[in-house]
Amino acid sequence: MSRAPLALITLLGLPFAALAAESGTAALPANGNLGAQIGQMLLGLLLVIGLIFLLAWLLRRVQQIGPHSNQAIKLVSSQALGPRDRLLLVQVGREQVLLGISPGRITPLHVLAEPVLVADAEPASPEFAQRLMELLGKDKDKDKDKN
């Protein structure tokens, strides 16, 4: 091995050696109690993760408690026109407004003279698991029809 690469490696390593000497701590614990330090680190990590989950749960509980029926603006219905474009029917007080939503733009399309009544029995967007089961059920029915 030539001296040039060896000298370059030595020069690159000098700042790290100086930092270690200045801090007064070694890279490994002097008493060899590495297992206890790793255990402490894992315990701290678990506490932080637990705190994150606790705060997320608490946030969901607080949001459910708040009054949702006293909102002035309500989303009555929504229809996707494409991957980024939607039609929204919004109720503000006693008026309903049809809005066109596209990236970077919200356009009022029409103010309805008579409010549209939407049945509350069927949710506008079913939960993911229900929707997935419906799709899987439809695919199974199609396969049975083919056989």
Side-chain angles (χ1 to χ4, degrees), residues 52-65:
I52 290 170
F53 280 112
L54 177 70
L55 290 174
W57 175 79
L58 186 63
L59 184 64
R60 273 187 268 134
R61 296 285 292 177
V62 168
Q63 287 178 346
Q64 289 175 357
I65 293 172

Side-chain angles (χ1 to χ4, degrees), residues 30-134:
N31 59 3
N33 201 358
L34 184 62
Q37 287 185 349
I38 290 176
Q40 265 186 328
M41 182 184 64
L42 289 176
L43 181 64
L45 181 64
L46 288 175
L47 285 173
V48 169
I49 291 173
L51 182 64
I52 290 170
F53 280 112
L54 177 70
L55 290 174
W57 175 79
L58 186 63
L59 184 64
R60 273 187 268 134
R61 296 285 292 177
V62 168
Q63 287 178 346
Q64 289 175 357
I65 293 172
H68 293 291
S69 61
N70 293 337
Q71 294 179 354
I73 300 173
K74 295 180 183 176
L75 177 64
V76 177
S77 183
S78 173
Q79 177 67 46
L81 299 176
R84 301 176 75 187
D85 299 324
R86 300 185 73 75
L87 282 177
L88 297 180
L89 184 59
V90 178
Q91 182 160 350
V92 181
R94 294 185 190 130
E95 284 189 342
Q96 287 185 345
V97 181
L98 184 64
L99 300 174
I101 308 291
S102 61
R105 175 177 275 176
I106 299 174
T107 308
L109 300 174
H110 185 70
V111 177
L112 296 157
E114 268 186 48
V116 175
L117 299 176
V118 179
D120 292 333
E122 186 176 329
S125 59
E127 292 184 29
F128 176 75
Q130 291 174 339
R131 182 72 177 136
L132 181 62
M133 292 306 291
E134 288 174 7

